[in-house]
Amino acid sequence: MSFRALLFLSAWMFATGIFGVLSRRHVVALLLSIELLFNGVNLALLTFAWAYGALSAASLAFLGIAVTVAEVAVGLAIFLLVVRLTGKAAADELKQLAG
Amino acid sequence: MKAFYLVLFAPFVSFALLALWPGLRRSGKPAAWTSIAAVAVSLLSAIALFFQYDGGVHEVRWVWIPLAHFPSLTVGFLVDGLSVVMALVVALVAFAVQVYSLGYMSEEPPASLGRYYTYHSLFTFSMLGLVFANNLLEAYIFWELVGACSYLLIGFWFYKPSAARAALKAFWTTRLGDVGFALGIAVLFAHFGFLSYDKLFALEPSHALFLGLLGVYVGAMGKSAQFPLHIWLPDAMEGPTPVSALIHAATMVAAGVFLMVRLMPALQHTPELLHLVLWIGAITAFLAATMALVERDIKRVLAFSTISQLGYMMAAVGALSAGAAFFHLFTHAFFKALLFLAAGSVIHAMHTNDMFAMGGLARPMRWTMILFLVGALALAGMPPLSGYFSKDEILVATAHAPVPFALLMITVFLTAFYMFRAFFLTFTGEPRNPESHPHESPVVMLWPMGVLAILAAVAGFFGSTVHEMLNHSLGFESLHSGEEHHPAWIPYLGLGLGLLGILVAWMGYARRIFRPERVYAAFYPLAKVLEERYFIDHIFLLLYWLGYNTVATVVGFVDRYIVDGVVNFVTWATFEVGKALRRFHNGVVQDILLGVVVGFLILAFFATGF
């Protein structure tokens, strides 16, 4: 695969993630979309690392993956608690953040 | 020359001990002895320094603040003839006063006594620091320190509203002068880039030098109570009497004169300024002496007398005769401190300051009477006591300027008159207050006075020593003093006027040959003007109301409604905009994210321009 194709793939993943984050109602779907966003960015990072031979960028991507795992764990735990407390799992029904 | 470290730092050690060790400070007598021991060490070292002194100019200096575009600021100490003699005077009077205070302040509670001696230690250190300073900035720092000590000691009985007010008045009035001092230093530093005396003395006459020295003189006017900044000194008598003796008679108020003498090698290049100094000195001497004529408070008579004598010294400075000024400073320190301590002894016995409630104290307080008499004779300029010699030199030095000379000559008469008015009112006649039972003061108060009395009597014979020491001071070798001719009649005229003053006082207050009350009634408007101190305090008050208060009101309005108004408008506007924007914040995460994405896209559009 070429450099351009990889970058295009990463941008596509990112755009899909954005669409998901903004349009899906279920919070688990939101979390999944965020994963997609994240992986799109990670792919871009690795693409540049591969193209320029920058190992430090690759190690940054590794670190990012590790952080994502933790983030998903914490995010799911918060989601479970929210569902238990409010009985709602739809993002547009949770309005406690209103100013 | 290493002795001077002991002279300077012994009082500092006792101050640090007393300030940092509350147990010692609150113990009273031990605190007093700590301070007295330190000042004794200081005095002995000052005596050793005086006798070891080899006639040279010794200086130690360190870099204090290194600066990039200016020569660095240095600090250091200067040991020359002037500082050696002055340090001796300061240490001696400080020692006598601290011992005397043991008796005078014996009724104070221990914690208060400790506080008193803490201030005294700090004062002695600061005053000596000012004496040994080798540059103007360092002198200014110690100058402010002695001012702070003066404030603390005038207001020592701060629970008395009059004392608290007097302390503030003293502080603010001298501060007014100190603003001039600070500006003078700023001008000199900005223009020349150095402040150490040796470099300042090497300068050629210039406009900046004049402005800088003028500023320094304004500072000296405040400190040395020159007209019109003299108003604080009579009120400063609210402090304990030993404080008045040390700070407001012998040392601190003389600091202005000392600084002028110190700067003489630079001042000689500014004849216009010296002319001003001469005139203001003579006016101060005369006005203060007239105000003393009608004063009832024995300490205030001495305060006016101090202002008057400081006027003499400043006049001598103005006449380019630093030697006469410093010699008078030297003798005045002894006899005026003696007079204050003797007055304190009287006040201690009578519990009042009003001379018209005293009278007939010669019998119960014989020693105090004799000591006061020695001081009064010295002040009146009676030979062979010290005041005769030093005042004579000043009169000779100012003989070339007719009006100031005449003012100073009349003041000789006034001085003798008001001093002996005080003497006769206090010590002769019948007791005017039959309820009082005066008794002689304790020995601890008498013998410091005795030492000062001996010095007040014989100090005049050390004139040549003082002059010689002064000639060994920094910059003085190039100084040409203004003593060319002195008419032989001047000393006789001075002596005659002094004797006349004593005679008139004797006729009016001892023999009652004429009735001073009738003279007072006959000249009532004039006497009232004198009693109100020429309304100078009122003029200051008026200036305060008209000038200061008006400016403050305008500035206050601008600050409140324009400066603060802008700030308040910004907060108000932020708050209102926030309220309006709150409506967009509905709490749905996805709407917020949409805002983020749109905002990012807008930013990206502007950043990349595609």
Side-chain angles (χ1 to χ4, degrees):
Chain A
M1 278 224 257
S2 74
F3 178 65
R4 283 176 68 95
L6 276 172
L7 273 188
F8 185 80
L9 179 61
S10 113
W12 191 55
M13 280 166 78
F14 190 81
T16 314
I18 290 223
F19 177 76
V21 160
L22 293 181
S23 62
R24 305 307 299 260
R25 292 184 66 221
H26 202 278
V27 176
V28 173
L30 270 177
L31 284 172
L32 284 173
S33 306
I34 289 172
E35 283 303 300
L36 209 53
L37 274 174
F38 197 87
N39 282 313
V41 172
N42 249 351
L43 183 59
L45 195 62
L46 284 171
T47 309
F48 283 111
W50 169 69
Y52 295 107
L55 267 181
S56 53
S59 60
L60 191 64
F62 260 118
L63 185 69
I65 290 165
V67 172
T68 322
V69 174
E71 176 237 306
V72 168
V74 174
L76 279 175
I78 292 172
F79 166 68
L80 276 178
L81 276 175
V82 167
V83 170
R84 228 178 258 169
L85 284 172
T86 63
K88 294 167 183 162
D92 54 353
E93 284 171 4
L94 295 165
K95 290 188 175 176
Q96 273 85 348
L97 282 176
Chain B
M1 289 301 114
K2 297 292 168 202
F4 100 89
Y5 286 107
L6 266 181
V7 180
L8 180 58
F9 288 107
F12 181 74
V13 169
S14 83
F15 164 69
L17 267 176
L18 291 172
L20 300 176
W21 185 0
L24 179 64
R25 185 174 67 242
R26 297 198 187 112
S27 62
K29 281 275 147 83
W33 285 112
T34 308
S35 178
I36 291 172
V39 77
V41 169
S42 187
L43 173 60
L44 291 175
S45 322
I47 293 171
L49 187 65
F50 180 79
F51 284 110
Q52 281 173 8
Y53 180 66
D54 55 4
V57 173
H58 306 270
E59 203 174 352
V60 282
R61 69 168 73 184
W62 309 272
V63 172
W64 176 31
I65 303 176
L67 295 173
H69 302 294
F70 276 111
S72 304
L73 283 176
T74 58
V75 284
F77 298 106
L78 186 62
V79 183
D80 63 358
L82 180 59
S83 53
V84 167
V85 177
M86 189 70 188
L88 186 60
V89 172
V90 170
L92 216 155
V93 179
F95 178 68
V97 165
Q98 289 200 12
V99 173
Y100 176 94
S101 299
L102 274 179
Y104 192 85
M105 305 296 278
S106 56
E107 285 158 30
E108 288 293 313
S112 175
L113 190 69
R115 187 162 62 89
Y116 178 79
Y117 275 97
T118 312
Y119 295 159
H120 259 292
S121 285
L122 178 61
F123 173 77
T124 310
F125 164 69
S126 318
M127 188 67 210
L128 289 166
L130 176 57
V131 169
F132 283 116
N134 78 339
N135 66 76
L136 271 180
L137 189 63
E138 195 183 339
Y140 182 70
I141 292 168
F142 285 116
W143 181 272
E144 294 297 338
L145 271 176
V146 290
C149 292
S150 160
Y151 165 78
L152 291 169
L153 283 166
I154 294 169
F156 182 72
W157 290 314
F158 52 82
Y159 40 81
K160 274 182 11 194
S162 59
R165 261 202 310 275
L168 269 181
K169 184 174 175 181
F171 193 73
W172 286 118
T173 316
T174 48
R175 186 116 283 279
L176 200 62
D178 293 346
V179 172
F181 195 165
L183 287 176
I185 290 178
V187 166
L188 290 176
F189 190 69
H191 205 266
F192 302 112
F194 48 74
L195 293 167
S196 61
Y197 292 143
D198 54 349
K199 288 184 189 161
L200 286 178
F201 293 171
L203 287 174
E204 294 297 309
S206 69
H207 202 59
L209 183 66
F210 173 79
L211 280 178
L213 290 177
L214 178 68
V216 176
Y217 172 59
V218 172
M221 276 171 81
K223 206 57 121 197
S224 287
Q226 295 293 293
F227 172 84
L229 295 182
H230 64 273
I231 52 167
W232 65 274
L233 194 54
D235 288 16
M237 297 300 123
E238 290 292 338
T241 309
V243 170
S244 311
L246 175 63
I247 300 184
H248 306 119
T251 54
M252 187 195 82
V253 288
V257 178
F258 171 81
L259 195 68
M260 287 281 119
V261 172
R262 171 59 93 200
L263 293 174
M264 206 65 206
L267 279 169
Q268 63 173 333
H269 298 311
T270 57
E272 305 88 354
L273 180 59
L274 284 175
H275 212 63
L276 181 74
V277 175
L278 170 64
W279 271 86
I280 288 187
I283 291 169
T284 306
F286 178 72
L287 289 186
T290 56
M291 288 187 264
L293 298 177
V294 293
E295 186 59 58
R296 297 170 66 97
D297 181 324
I298 185 167
K299 275 182 80 182
R300 293 221 165 122
V301 170
L302 295 176
F304 282 122
S305 161
T306 304
I307 299 174
S308 178
Q309 299 303 309
L310 290 166
Y312 270 99
M313 297 175 208
M314 280 297 194
V317 169
L320 246 175
S321 183
F326 187 59
F327 184 33
H328 197 53
L329 192 167
F330 177 76
T331 60
H332 175 261
F334 299 129
F335 63 69
K336 189 50 71 60
L338 168 66
L339 280 169
F340 265 107
L341 295 186
S345 173
V346 170
I347 293 164
H348 194 61
M350 297 294 291
H351 299 288
T352 177
N353 286 10
D354 189 356
M355 295 188 297
F356 287 86
M358 296 175 184
L361 288 178
R363 200 165 302 123
M365 305 185 72
R366 174 161 310 137
W367 285 108
T368 303
M369 187 271 286
I370 294 171
L371 293 163
F372 193 91
L373 184 61
V374 170
L377 284 170
L379 175 56
M382 291 299 118
L385 302 177
S386 56
Y388 168 72
F389 298 96
S390 53
K391 200 176 281 186
D392 220 49
E393 280 193 20
I394 292 179
L395 291 172
V396 167
T398 54
H400 63 275
V403 179
F405 175 70
L407 283 175
L408 293 178
M409 262 302 175
I410 299 167
T411 309
V412 171
F413 166 75
L414 297 174
T415 307
F417 174 74
Y418 69 67
M419 262 339 285
F420 278 85
R421 170 179 174 269
F423 177 77
F424 291 129
L425 277 175
T426 310
F427 291 104
T428 63
E430 290 306 309
R432 277 181 289 274
N433 181 2
E435 276 139 52
S436 67
H437 301 286
H439 53 87
E440 185 57 277
S441 295
V443 182
V444 70
M445 287 165 72
L446 285 177
W447 79 256
M449 285 196 270
V451 172
L452 287 173
I454 293 168
L455 286 164
V458 304
F461 299 112
F462 293 103
S464 56
T465 316
V466 170
H467 280 284
E468 200 197 313
M469 290 293 273
L470 198 59
N471 286 335
H472 291 306
S473 303
L474 184 67
F476 272 77
E477 56 282 351
S478 66
L479 197 69
H480 47 81
S481 77
E483 295 163 41
E484 310 92 29
H485 65 298
H486 35 96
W489 49 268
I490 290 176
Y492 299 108
L493 183 60
L495 183 57
L497 283 171
L499 281 171
L500 187 66
I502 296 174
L503 185 70
V504 173
W506 178 76
M507 291 194 327
Y509 292 95
R511 282 283 130 151
R512 314 284 292 168
I513 293 172
F514 70 93
R515 302 266 151 182
E517 308 85 60
R518 294 218 186 118
V519 180
Y520 180 88
F523 293 96
Y524 182 74
L526 180 63
K528 195 71 196 157
V529 169
L530 294 182
E531 268 184 354
E532 293 294 332
R533 302 176 192 169
Y534 294 98
F535 299 99
I536 294 168
D537 288 78
H538 299 85
I539 293 169
F540 266 97
L541 211 57
L542 196 72
L543 284 178
Y544 171 77
W545 283 112
L546 286 184
Y548 183 81
N549 256 20
T550 314
V551 171
T553 311
V554 171
V555 170
F557 179 84
V558 170
D559 187 52
R560 205 162 299 141
Y561 295 104
I562 296 181
V563 177
D564 283 5
V566 169
V567 175
N568 286 340
F569 174 77
V570 168
T571 55
W572 176 85
T574 311
F575 198 70
E576 288 303 310
V577 170
K579 260 204 261 182
L581 289 177
R582 250 168 82 171
R583 271 183 253 148
F584 295 102
H585 200 105
N586 58 5
V588 179
V589 179
Q590 283 165 316
D591 290 357
I592 300 167
L593 276 173
L594 185 64
V596 171
V597 172
V598 171
F600 174 78
L601 286 177
I602 292 169
L603 284 181
F605 177 76
F606 282 116
T608 59
F610 72 90

